[in-house]
Amino acid sequence: MIVFISGGVRSGKSDYAEERARLLYAKEQKNLIYIATSDVYDEEMHVRVKRHQEQRKRDEVNWKVYEKPSNIADLLSGFQQGDVILLDCVTTLLSNELFNGWQQGEKKWTSPSFIAEVEKKMIHLVSELAEGPYTAFVVSNELCFDLPPQDRATSIYIRLLGRIHQDIVSRAKEAVLIENRLVLLKKRGGQA
């Protein structure tokens, strides 16, 4: 089952997702799993990741943390009935998958077949999360509210993210939009 939590940058969506996951974990008492998708590629990202790691260490619950910037579906077979999963975040995961190799100057993202392959991979992940025996809190940024992008890479990325968000919402039991720490329920079809 998926609970989709989206919102703008620094809107409070990750804090909200963590709190919801903790509350469900308190009921289920199985595993509390955090899948962090950030790939540390600069000093700012290193500081953010370190801050999140320290924050989880101070948490009163014991998160099982997987820091995996791509190929998330590989982890899912190891999770079981009643586990509570937090995937943070789809936006970063898609960027990692779509722009894989950019550090070496590769531009795989320019190939329509590669874009289709990435989309298929992401949709497969969403399907696995929705059909699994666990609850998955899936976090993502809303980037489609802004002006249309002027460069090709961003345009491809935004369109692909929009399609993935639509697929997540179609499979989710609940969809929530966070704006300035305000919770706006957009879809409810079950409890989590």
Side-chain angles (χ1 to χ4, degrees):
M1 177 176 83
I2 293 176
V3 175
F4 183 52
I5 301 165
S6 64
V9 175
R10 305 285 187 267
S11 62
K13 63 193 172 302
S14 292
D15 290 343
Y16 177 78
E18 288 177 17
E19 183 59 28
R20 289 283 305 272
R22 277 190 216 92
L23 289 171
L24 184 58
Y25 168 74
K27 293 179 194 172
E28 299 288 336
Q29 291 299 312
K30 292 287 185 173
N31 295 305
L32 184 60
I33 298 155
Y34 200 113
I35 303 172
T37 62
S38 291
D39 194 5
V40 179
Y41 53 84
D42 65 13
E43 185 58 31
E44 179 187 355
M45 188 58 77
H46 176 75
V47 169
R48 288 180 65 195
V49 167
K50 194 73 172 159
R51 188 184 76 232
H52 282 279
Q53 289 169 338
E54 293 299 321
Q55 183 178 346
R56 284 191 298 269
K57 283 181 188 174
R58 290 189 305 270
D59 208 336
E60 58 226 27
V61 296
N62 188 23
W63 293 91
K64 282 187 176 182
V65 178
Y66 296 87
E67 294 182 355
K68 192 158 172 62
S70 62
N71 301 311
I72 301 298
D74 296 348
L75 296 172
L76 300 183
S77 65
F79 303 147
Q80 57 192 333
Q81 177 77 34
D83 283 351
V84 179
I85 300 167
L86 193 157
L87 171 61
D88 195 357
C89 76
V90 170
T91 321
T92 303
L93 176 60
L94 176 59
S95 177
N96 295 341
E97 297 283 2
L98 185 62
F99 299 114
N100 180 25
W102 71 269
Q103 300 94 330
Q104 295 81 31
E106 295 178 20
K107 293 187 176 185
K108 297 177 194 176
W109 59 267
T110 60
S111 164
S113 63
F114 182 74
I115 294 166
E117 180 183 316
V118 169
E119 184 170 10
K120 181 179 177 182
K121 184 177 185 178
M122 295 292 292
I123 297 300
H124 173 74
L125 171 63
V126 172
S127 174
E128 292 285 316
L129 288 168
E131 295 169 12
Y134 36 71
T135 300
F137 293 90
V138 177
V139 177
S140 194
N141 288 302
E142 282 299 340
L143 303 178
C144 302
F145 295 157
D146 295 328
L147 295 172
Q150 299 301 311
D151 66 282
R152 183 170 175 228
T154 306
S155 180
I156 290 169
Y157 174 80
I158 294 286
R159 285 195 310 269
L160 187 53
L161 182 64
R163 290 194 302 271
I164 292 165
H165 280 184
Q166 289 177 42
D167 187 68
I168 294 170
V169 169
S170 75
R171 298 172 194 264
K173 293 290 183 191
E174 185 177 333
V176 174
L177 178 65
I178 307 293
E179 288 188 12
N180 305 310
R181 293 200 177 274
L182 296 174
V183 178
L184 305 168
L185 183 63
K186 296 297 197 172
K187 175 184 179 181
R188 172 163 282 161
Q191 291 294 322

Short mmCIF file of all heavy atoms in Angstrom, two decimals, residues 34-68:
data_model
loop_
_atom_site.label_atom_id
_atom_site.label_comp_id
_atom_site.label_asym_id
_atom_site.label_seq_id
_atom_site.Cartn_x
_atom_site.Cartn_y
_atom_site.Cartn_z
N TYR A 34 13.87 3.08 6.22
CA TYR A 34 14.07 4.38 5.56
C TYR A 34 14.95 4.15 4.34
O TYR A 34 16.09 3.71 4.48
CB TYR A 34 14.76 5.34 6.53
CG TYR A 34 14.60 6.79 6.18
CD1 TYR A 34 13.86 7.64 6.99
CD2 TYR A 34 15.20 7.33 5.06
CE1 TYR A 34 13.72 8.98 6.69
CE2 TYR A 34 15.06 8.67 4.75
CZ TYR A 34 14.31 9.49 5.57
OH TYR A 34 14.17 10.81 5.27
N ILE A 35 14.41 4.42 3.16
CA ILE A 35 15.19 4.33 1.93
C ILE A 35 15.50 5.75 1.48
O ILE A 35 14.62 6.49 1.07
CB ILE A 35 14.43 3.57 0.83
CG1 ILE A 35 14.04 2.17 1.30
CG2 ILE A 35 15.29 3.49 -0.44
CD1 ILE A 35 13.13 1.42 0.35
N ALA A 36 16.76 6.11 1.61
CA ALA A 36 17.23 7.45 1.24
C ALA A 36 17.87 7.37 -0.14
O ALA A 36 18.77 6.55 -0.36
CB ALA A 36 18.24 7.95 2.27
N THR A 37 17.41 8.20 -1.06
CA THR A 37 17.85 8.10 -2.45
C THR A 37 18.93 9.11 -2.84
O THR A 37 19.38 9.11 -3.98
CB THR A 37 16.65 8.28 -3.40
OG1 THR A 37 16.10 9.58 -3.22
CG2 THR A 37 15.60 7.22 -3.16
N SER A 38 19.35 9.95 -1.91
CA SER A 38 20.33 10.98 -2.25
C SER A 38 21.66 10.38 -2.64
O SER A 38 22.16 9.45 -2.01
CB SER A 38 20.54 11.93 -1.08
OG SER A 38 19.40 12.71 -0.87
N ASP A 39 22.22 10.95 -3.67
CA ASP A 39 23.58 10.62 -4.11
C ASP A 39 24.42 11.83 -3.75
O ASP A 39 24.16 12.94 -4.22
CB ASP A 39 23.58 10.36 -5.62
CG ASP A 39 24.85 9.69 -6.10
OD1 ASP A 39 25.69 9.33 -5.26
OD2 ASP A 39 25.00 9.52 -7.32
N VAL A 40 25.40 11.65 -2.91
CA VAL A 40 26.21 12.77 -2.43
C VAL A 40 27.21 13.16 -3.52
O VAL A 40 28.16 12.43 -3.80
CB VAL A 40 26.93 12.40 -1.12
CG1 VAL A 40 27.77 13.56 -0.63
CG2 VAL A 40 25.92 11.98 -0.07
N TYR A 41 26.98 14.31 -4.13
CA TYR A 41 27.84 14.75 -5.23
C TYR A 41 28.44 16.14 -5.01
O TYR A 41 29.24 16.60 -5.81
CB TYR A 41 27.08 14.73 -6.56
CG TYR A 41 25.77 15.49 -6.52
CD1 TYR A 41 25.74 16.85 -6.72
CD2 TYR A 41 24.58 14.84 -6.27
CE1 TYR A 41 24.56 17.57 -6.68
CE2 TYR A 41 23.38 15.53 -6.22
CZ TYR A 41 23.38 16.89 -6.43
OH TYR A 41 22.20 17.59 -6.36
N ASP A 42 28.06 16.80 -3.90
CA ASP A 42 28.68 18.08 -3.59
C ASP A 42 28.61 18.32 -2.08
O ASP A 42 28.00 17.54 -1.34
CB ASP A 42 28.07 19.24 -4.38
CG ASP A 42 26.60 19.52 -4.04
OD1 ASP A 42 26.09 19.00 -3.02
OD2 ASP A 42 25.97 20.26 -4.79
N GLU A 43 29.23 19.37 -1.62
CA GLU A 43 29.31 19.66 -0.18
C GLU A 43 27.94 19.95 0.42
O GLU A 43 27.64 19.50 1.53
CB GLU A 43 30.26 20.85 0.07
CG GLU A 43 30.51 21.13 1.54
CD GLU A 43 31.08 19.95 2.33
OE1 GLU A 43 31.82 19.14 1.73
OE2 GLU A 43 30.80 19.84 3.53
N GLU A 44 27.09 20.68 -0.28
CA GLU A 44 25.75 20.97 0.24
C GLU A 44 24.97 19.68 0.49
O GLU A 44 24.33 19.52 1.53
CB GLU A 44 24.98 21.87 -0.72
CG GLU A 44 23.57 22.18 -0.23
CD GLU A 44 22.73 22.94 -1.24
OE1 GLU A 44 23.23 23.32 -2.31
OE2 GLU A 44 21.54 23.14 -0.94
N MET A 45 25.04 18.75 -0.47
CA MET A 45 24.32 17.49 -0.31
C MET A 45 24.94 16.68 0.83
O MET A 45 24.21 16.03 1.60
CB MET A 45 24.35 16.69 -1.62
CG MET A 45 23.48 15.46 -1.58
SD MET A 45 21.74 15.78 -1.23
CE MET A 45 21.18 16.37 -2.81
N HIS A 46 26.25 16.72 0.97
CA HIS A 46 26.91 16.01 2.07
C HIS A 46 26.40 16.52 3.42
O HIS A 46 26.09 15.73 4.31
CB HIS A 46 28.43 16.18 1.98
CG HIS A 46 29.17 15.58 3.11
ND1 HIS A 46 29.35 14.22 3.25
CD2 HIS A 46 29.74 16.15 4.20
CE1 HIS A 46 30.00 13.98 4.37
NE2 HIS A 46 30.27 15.13 4.96
N VAL A 47 26.27 17.83 3.56
CA VAL A 47 25.78 18.43 4.81
C VAL A 47 24.33 18.00 5.07
O VAL A 47 23.97 17.65 6.19
CB VAL A 47 25.92 19.97 4.76
CG1 VAL A 47 25.19 20.64 5.91
CG2 VAL A 47 27.40 20.36 4.76
N ARG A 48 23.50 18.02 4.04
CA ARG A 48 22.09 17.64 4.21
C ARG A 48 21.96 16.18 4.61
O ARG A 48 21.19 15.83 5.52
CB ARG A 48 21.31 17.88 2.91
CG ARG A 48 21.09 19.36 2.63
CD ARG A 48 20.32 19.58 1.36
NE ARG A 48 18.97 19.03 1.49
CZ ARG A 48 18.17 18.82 0.46
NH1 ARG A 48 18.57 19.09 -0.77
NH2 ARG A 48 16.97 18.34 0.63
N VAL A 49 22.71 15.30 3.96
CA VAL A 49 22.65 13.87 4.28
C VAL A 49 23.13 13.64 5.71
O VAL A 49 22.51 12.90 6.47
CB VAL A 49 23.48 13.04 3.26
CG1 VAL A 49 23.70 11.63 3.74
CG2 VAL A 49 22.79 13.05 1.90
N LYS A 50 24.22 14.29 6.08
CA LYS A 50 24.75 14.14 7.44
C LYS A 50 23.73 14.60 8.48
O LYS A 50 23.55 13.95 9.51
CB LYS A 50 26.05 14.96 7.56
CG LYS A 50 26.86 14.64 8.76
CD LYS A 50 27.52 13.29 8.58
CE LYS A 50 28.48 13.05 9.71
NZ LYS A 50 28.76 11.63 9.86
N ARG A 51 23.06 15.71 8.20
CA ARG A 51 22.04 16.22 9.13
C ARG A 51 20.90 15.22 9.30
O ARG A 51 20.44 14.95 10.41
CB ARG A 51 21.49 17.56 8.62
CG ARG A 51 20.56 18.24 9.64
CD ARG A 51 19.94 19.51 9.12
NE ARG A 51 18.86 19.14 8.21
CZ ARG A 51 18.72 19.60 6.98
NH1 ARG A 51 19.55 20.46 6.48
NH2 ARG A 51 17.74 19.20 6.21
N HIS A 52 20.46 14.62 8.18
CA HIS A 52 19.39 13.61 8.25
C HIS A 52 19.85 12.37 9.02
O HIS A 52 19.09 11.81 9.81
CB HIS A 52 18.92 13.21 6.85
CG HIS A 52 18.00 14.20 6.23
ND1 HIS A 52 16.66 14.26 6.52
CD2 HIS A 52 18.23 15.19 5.33
CE1 HIS A 52 16.10 15.23 5.83
NE2 HIS A 52 17.03 15.81 5.10
N GLN A 53 21.10 11.96 8.81
CA GLN A 53 21.63 10.80 9.53
C GLN A 53 21.66 11.06 11.03
O GLN A 53 21.27 10.21 11.83
CB GLN A 53 23.03 10.44 9.02
CG GLN A 53 23.05 9.86 7.63
CD GLN A 53 24.44 9.76 7.04
OE1 GLN A 53 25.37 10.47 7.45
NE2 GLN A 53 24.60 8.89 6.06
N GLU A 54 22.13 12.23 11.41
CA GLU A 54 22.20 12.60 12.84
C GLU A 54 20.79 12.68 13.44
O GLU A 54 20.57 12.25 14.57
CB GLU A 54 22.93 13.92 13.02
CG GLU A 54 24.41 13.87 12.68
CD GLU A 54 25.17 12.87 13.54
OE1 GLU A 54 24.90 12.78 14.75
OE2 GLU A 54 26.03 12.17 12.98
N GLN A 55 19.87 13.22 12.68
CA GLN A 55 18.48 13.33 13.15
C GLN A 55 17.89 11.95 13.41
O GLN A 55 17.23 11.73 14.42
CB GLN A 55 17.66 14.10 12.11
CG GLN A 55 16.22 14.35 12.51
CD GLN A 55 15.49 15.15 11.43
OE1 GLN A 55 16.09 15.73 10.54
NE2 GLN A 55 14.19 15.18 11.52
N ARG A 56 18.13 10.99 12.52
CA ARG A 56 17.61 9.64 12.70
C ARG A 56 18.26 8.95 13.89
O ARG A 56 17.62 8.16 14.59
CB ARG A 56 17.77 8.82 11.42
CG ARG A 56 16.75 9.18 10.36
CD ARG A 56 16.74 8.19 9.23
NE ARG A 56 17.99 8.12 8.50
CZ ARG A 56 18.28 8.86 7.43
NH1 ARG A 56 17.41 9.73 6.96
NH2 ARG A 56 19.43 8.73 6.82
N LYS A 57 19.53 9.23 14.15
CA LYS A 57 20.22 8.64 15.31
C LYS A 57 19.57 9.11 16.62
O LYS A 57 19.53 8.36 17.58
CB LYS A 57 21.70 9.03 15.31
CG LYS A 57 22.54 8.24 14.34
CD LYS A 57 23.99 8.68 14.44
CE LYS A 57 24.82 8.06 13.33
NZ LYS A 57 26.20 8.58 13.33
N ARG A 58 19.10 10.34 16.64
CA ARG A 58 18.47 10.88 17.86
C ARG A 58 17.02 10.44 18.00
O ARG A 58 16.41 10.65 19.05
CB ARG A 58 18.54 12.42 17.84
CG ARG A 58 19.94 12.98 18.01
CD ARG A 58 19.91 14.49 18.21
NE ARG A 58 19.21 15.19 17.15
CZ ARG A 58 19.77 15.65 16.04
NH1 ARG A 58 21.05 15.47 15.81
NH2 ARG A 58 19.05 16.30 15.13
N ASP A 59 16.48 9.84 16.96
CA ASP A 59 15.08 9.43 16.96
C ASP A 59 14.86 8.34 18.01
O ASP A 59 15.75 7.53 18.28
CB ASP A 59 14.70 8.90 15.58
CG ASP A 59 13.23 9.07 15.27
OD1 ASP A 59 12.43 9.17 16.21
OD2 ASP A 59 12.90 9.11 14.08
N GLU A 60 13.68 8.33 18.59
CA GLU A 60 13.36 7.32 19.61
C GLU A 60 13.06 5.95 19.03
O GLU A 60 12.92 4.98 19.76
CB GLU A 60 12.21 7.81 20.49
CG GLU A 60 10.97 8.12 19.70
CD GLU A 60 10.31 9.43 20.08
OE1 GLU A 60 10.97 10.35 20.54
OE2 GLU A 60 9.09 9.49 19.89
N VAL A 61 12.94 5.84 17.73
CA VAL A 61 12.72 4.55 17.08
C VAL A 61 13.97 4.16 16.28
O VAL A 61 14.77 5.02 15.93
CB VAL A 61 11.48 4.57 16.15
CG1 VAL A 61 10.22 4.81 16.94
CG2 VAL A 61 11.63 5.59 15.05
N ASN A 62 14.08 2.89 16.01
CA ASN A 62 15.26 2.38 15.32
C ASN A 62 14.95 2.15 13.85
O ASN A 62 14.36 1.14 13.48
CB ASN A 62 15.72 1.08 15.99
CG ASN A 62 17.04 0.61 15.44
OD1 ASN A 62 17.81 1.38 14.89
ND2 ASN A 62 17.30 -0.67 15.56
N TRP A 63 15.34 3.11 13.02
CA TRP A 63 15.14 3.00 11.58
C TRP A 63 16.18 2.03 11.01
O TRP A 63 17.35 2.10 11.37
CB TRP A 63 15.35 4.35 10.90
CG TRP A 63 14.35 5.40 11.21
CD1 TRP A 63 14.43 6.32 12.22
CD2 TRP A 63 13.15 5.69 10.51
NE1 TRP A 63 13.34 7.16 12.17
CE2 TRP A 63 12.54 6.80 11.13
CE3 TRP A 63 12.52 5.11 9.40
CZ2 TRP A 63 11.34 7.33 10.69
CZ3 TRP A 63 11.32 5.65 8.97
CH2 TRP A 63 10.74 6.74 9.61
N LYS A 64 15.76 1.17 10.10
CA LYS A 64 16.70 0.41 9.27
C LYS A 64 16.89 1.28 8.03
O LYS A 64 15.95 1.48 7.26
CB LYS A 64 16.12 -0.93 8.85
CG LYS A 64 16.16 -1.98 9.91
CD LYS A 64 15.72 -3.31 9.31
CE LYS A 64 15.84 -4.39 10.34
NZ LYS A 64 15.46 -5.70 9.78
N VAL A 65 18.09 1.81 7.85
CA VAL A 65 18.32 2.77 6.77
C VAL A 65 19.07 2.12 5.62
O VAL A 65 20.09 1.46 5.82
CB VAL A 65 19.11 3.99 7.30
CG1 VAL A 65 19.40 4.97 6.18
CG2 VAL A 65 18.37 4.66 8.45
N TYR A 66 18.54 2.36 4.43
CA TYR A 66 19.21 1.95 3.20
C TYR A 66 19.49 3.22 2.42
O TYR A 66 18.55 3.92 2.04
CB TYR A 66 18.31 1.02 2.36
CG TYR A 66 18.00 -0.29 3.04
CD1 TYR A 66 16.91 -0.39 3.91
CD2 TYR A 66 18.78 -1.41 2.81
CE1 TYR A 66 16.62 -1.60 4.53
CE2 TYR A 66 18.49 -2.62 3.42
CZ TYR A 66 17.41 -2.70 4.29
OH TYR A 66 17.12 -3.89 4.90
N GLU A 67 20.74 3.53 2.18
CA GLU A 67 21.11 4.68 1.36
C GLU A 67 21.41 4.13 -0.03
O GLU A 67 22.46 3.56 -0.26
CB GLU A 67 22.29 5.41 1.99
CG GLU A 67 21.90 6.04 3.32
CD GLU A 67 23.00 6.83 3.99
OE1 GLU A 67 24.14 6.83 3.48
OE2 GLU A 67 22.72 7.45 5.03
N LYS A 68 20.44 4.30 -0.91
CA LYS A 68 20.51 3.67 -2.24
C LYS A 68 20.00 4.67 -3.28
O LYS A 68 18.80 4.90 -3.36
CB LYS A 68 19.68 2.39 -2.22
CG LYS A 68 19.89 1.50 -3.42
CD LYS A 68 19.48 0.08 -3.09
CE LYS A 68 19.48 -0.83 -4.29
NZ LYS A 68 20.77 -1.00 -4.93
#
